[in-house]
Structures are given as structure tokens and as C-alpha cells.
Amino acid sequence: MSRAIQPQIATTDEHWMERALTLAWRAKGQTRPNPPVGAVVLDAHGKKVGEGFHKKAGDAHAEIVALIRAGDKTRGGTLYVTLEPCSTKGRTGACTTAVIAAGIRRVVVAIRDPNPAHRGRGLRILRSAGIEVVSGIFRQRAEELIRGFSCWVTSGRPFVTLKLGMTLDGHIADNKGRSKWITSAPSRRIVQRLRSEVDAVIVGGATACMDNPSLLCAKRKAGGPPLLRVIIDDVGALPPTSRVLCDGCACQTIIATTRRCTPLRQSEYERTGATVWTLREVNEGVSLKQLMRKLGALGVLEVLCEGGGELAASLVRAKLIDRYILFYAPAILGGDARPAFGGRGWSLGSMPSLKMEGMIRVGPDIMVTAWPAGKR
């Protein structure tokens, strides 16, 4: 006689927090201005009875989804959630109120709310209600999950990742500006995944003119907010016939420019459905700090900057980069090819330093992840 299948029973807090984190990652890049959150509910006997994640702003929070799915089996149970339950009423009710009403006996969270106005308040409310609270399970992984939200609530701007694909000698295009394709197809697939996890993609005007990219994401999930495309073009050199303005998704395009872009050209952009931002001029270019503040005001949590070299160097000088993802192809361009970081360089004593996080093979390429020294 075959054995009956036994119900799934929790063995460790780590096991169920792992599941909650997996659920939360499903909505990465879809929840702005809210953070992605996952939750799992066990009944009083340790059996999983509900789970869920926050899909998009305005929808139920992860805890509520999991509690609803658990139904009347929550009393005396345990809630695992990747972020401290909210304690204030916004578009939806306070999650702490629902957790207490459900009769949950124990709450395990990965990380406290990074918002200084709310940090720790939800946990104190739960403890005051007699609920056991455990905090810090997989804290570092949860911090990575909500890095954009943390940056946004503490600084008012999005988390900025600079992505560059280059040769081993540090060039992103040949002397005519051609860059398709320096890196391999496996590297480009990773870039598509990165786009699926952010709220906006940014490129410089020269790159947009030369490559005429779509900057869309094949892996983007339907139903969530669209991926914004930001073109930094201080003079309005981008042709109105560019793909980002003529592919049926121009409403997702923002042209960040200055007063050097003529009113006629701005009108041409706006007629396509694109948004034009006329920003301050800094060192003959768009004020990147003002751009990031305006994106933050839209609730944008994470952006992916994809070059070119002048934009990359300007972001470094403005101290706006939070993470570097650099793809190195086994090739050399040399000579007068376009450098990964354009403009004037730095002296040996003032050069920006990075902290290496990881290096992996991606097909024939090498992918390096690093952080500005002192930021992590």
C-alpha cells in the first residue's frame, strides 16, 4: 500500500522566509511607489494555509492576500513577511490591524520599514497586542529586494544602476559610434531581466540617435506600470522619427532637455505623446540631480542607465550611481574608439574607487557587479 502524502510542515523560519522572498520577487519592478513584498501564513500546527505578494500599488498588500487565502485557519498561526507590516491607512487599511484581527500568534519579518516615519512602529503595535515578533531573517536579501524603495523614501530619488557593455580595453563603441553588438546574446538577456526589475531606463541622446533603440522589455509583466524610457538630450538632437517616439509607446517616453532645445522641437516630441521636461543646465548638460528628483516625484524607485560614455561619466561626477553592472566582452577596439566613461578623466589621486561585489561568466563575457566605495 502506498503512503498517503503528508501535508507540508514548516521546519525552519528560514524555509518559509525563503518562500516569502521568492513570492516578492515576482512583482519586482511592478509596485511603484510601493515596495515588493511577499508573505506566507502557517496555521497553529505549522501547515502552510495561505501565501501571496503585493502585485501593484492600490492592490491588497502581501499580508492581506495571504490572510484572505488562509481564511479561518489563521488563529494561533504564524505570518512570515519580507517587510514590516504597515501601521497606517493609505489606499488600503493598516496591515497590523488585519494581522491582529486574524488571531496570528507569531510574526516573522525579514526587515523593518526603511521609512524613518514608520520604522519599527508596526512591530511595536504587534508586540503590544501580545504577538511574538521575530525580525532579521534573511535581512540582507530583503534589503536588496527593496533597495529602490529604501533609496526613494530616504533621499527622494530612485536607486541608480549604471549598466555598460564594453571591450576588455574599456570601449563601448568603435570610432564611428557603432556598438551592436560588443557583448553576447546571454549578456543581453540579462539586461532584459534587469529592465524587467526597474521602473525606468535612461540613455544619453547620442546613444539614442546612433543606436535608435526601443528600450522596451520583452520580459515585462502585463498589468503593472509601464517601463518608462528617459532620453537625456540637452539640445533636442533626437529625431521625432526615432523608435522611442514612433513605436506606439511614446507615452512611456520622457525627453529630458534644456532651454537649448527649441520650442518647435519640443512640440514635435509632445505631438508623438512623449513628455518633455525642460531642466536646468549644468556644465552644458541636463541637471542629473534635478532629473532624478523629478523621477522620484513620479514614484520611480529604480532606474537602469544604459550609457553612453558621457552620461556614465556625468553620473559618476554627480555621485548618483548606487550600483555598477559592467559586461566585458573578450575583444579589443583600442585607439580612438569610444570610452566607457567619456569627457575629462580623473587624476590618480582623485579617481573614483569601487567596491567589488561579484564577477561571473556570462557566455563568453564577464559580468562585474560593484558599488561606489563607501555606499555599501
Side-chain angles (χ1 to χ4, degrees):
M1 178 183 288
S2 61
R3 290 186 179 180
I5 297 176
Q6 295 298 313
Q8 188 177 25
I9 302 298
T11 54
T12 63
D13 286 343
E14 288 79 7
H15 172 83
W16 293 113
M17 188 59 74
E18 176 92 42
R19 176 59 183 167
L21 286 164
T22 298
L23 291 166
W25 273 98
R26 292 182 182 178
K28 191 75 165 66
Q30 304 291 307
T31 60
R32 70 171 188 260
N34 296 343
V37 180
V40 175
V41 175
L42 308 186
D43 66 13
H45 306 290
K47 177 185 175 182
K48 185 179 75 171
V49 291
E51 65 179 22
F53 60 96
H54 180 51
K55 291 185 177 181
K56 62 180 180 180
D59 279 10
H61 289 187
E63 303 95 312
I64 305 303
V65 175
L67 289 171
I68 289 174
R69 290 178 176 171
D72 59 1
K73 299 175 182 178
T74 57
R75 195 152 302 278
T78 300
L79 169 69
Y80 292 86
V81 61
T82 57
L83 179 65
E84 174 182 354
C86 67
S87 56
T88 57
K89 184 177 180 180
R91 296 190 192 183
T92 59
C95 289
T96 49
T97 302
V99 171
I100 294 169
I104 291 291
R105 177 187 60 83
R106 184 169 181 262
V107 174
V108 182
V109 303
I111 187 175
R112 292 192 295 169
D113 192 329
N115 189 335
H118 302 148
R119 186 176 178 85
R121 180 181 173 187
L123 302 186
R124 290 193 295 272
I125 290 173
L126 295 176
R127 288 191 175 107
S128 296
I131 296 173
E132 178 189 352
V133 175
V134 177
S135 178
I137 305 296
F138 289 143
R139 177 183 57 80
Q140 188 170 342
R141 290 173 59 183
E143 286 175 346
E144 180 185 358
L145 172 69
I146 66 162
R147 61 187 172 232
F149 179 74
S150 297
C151 183
W152 180 71
V153 297
T154 56
S155 70
R157 69 164 179 86
F159 182 96
V160 178
T161 295
L162 175 66
K163 186 280 299 181
L164 292 173
M166 68 187 83
T167 58
L168 284 179
D169 59 339
H171 293 105
I172 58 173
D174 65 17
N175 59 4
K176 292 183 171 59
R178 296 171 300 199
S179 61
K180 292 185 177 180
W181 295 102
I182 287 176
T183 54
S184 65
S187 293
R188 296 195 295 275
R189 285 194 291 271
I190 289 180
V191 173
Q192 284 292 313
R193 178 178 60 77
L194 292 171
R195 287 182 186 178
S196 76
E197 295 175 356
V198 301
D199 303 303
V201 175
I202 301 178
V203 298
T207 298
C209 289
M210 177 61 67
D211 295 346
N212 194 22
S214 74
L215 301 177
L216 293 174
C217 178
K219 295 180 178 293
R220 196 80 177 177
K221 294 179 181 177
L227 178 69
L228 298 176
R229 304 175 294 186
V230 182
I231 313 298
I232 300 178
D233 183 356
D234 53 313
V235 297
L238 184 73
T241 55
S242 299
R243 292 176 68 185
V244 293
L245 298 171
C246 298
D247 60 3
C249 299
C251 60
Q252 298 172 220
T253 301
I254 297 171
I255 308 294
T257 189
T258 69
R259 291 180 179 177
R260 288 192 288 154
C261 178
T262 67
L264 175 61
R265 180 48 64 93
Q266 291 191 33
S267 295
E268 290 177 326
Y269 292 152
E270 289 172 340
R271 279 199 294 272
T272 69
T275 300
V276 178
W277 287 348
T278 303
L279 306 178
R280 289 197 306 273
E281 194 170 338
V282 175
N283 298 325
E284 299 185 348
V286 168
S287 168
L288 296 176
K289 290 185 177 180
Q290 186 184 11
L291 171 63
M292 295 304 172
R293 285 195 298 272
K294 283 186 73 71
L295 288 171
L298 287 182
V300 171
L301 304 182
E302 289 199 47
V303 301
L304 180 67
C305 297
E306 298 196 26
E310 296 296 330
L311 173 59
S314 296
L315 286 166
V316 175
R317 292 189 180 95
K319 294 180 169 54
L320 285 171
I321 300 174
D322 298 296
R323 180 178 63 159
Y324 293 80
I325 296 182
L326 309 174
F327 294 88
Y328 288 91
I332 294 173
L333 281 171
D336 56 354
R338 305 284 175 89
F341 297 89
R344 293 184 59 187
W346 293 267
S347 67
L348 193 62
S350 65
M351 63 181 180
S353 58
L354 309 182
K355 181 178 180 181
M356 294 283 288
E357 181 182 58
M359 182 171 60
I360 63 171
R361 284 284 298 271
V362 180
D365 305 332
I366 298 292
M367 185 179 83
V368 173
T369 304
W371 305 78
K375 275 205 173 184
R376 195 181 191 194

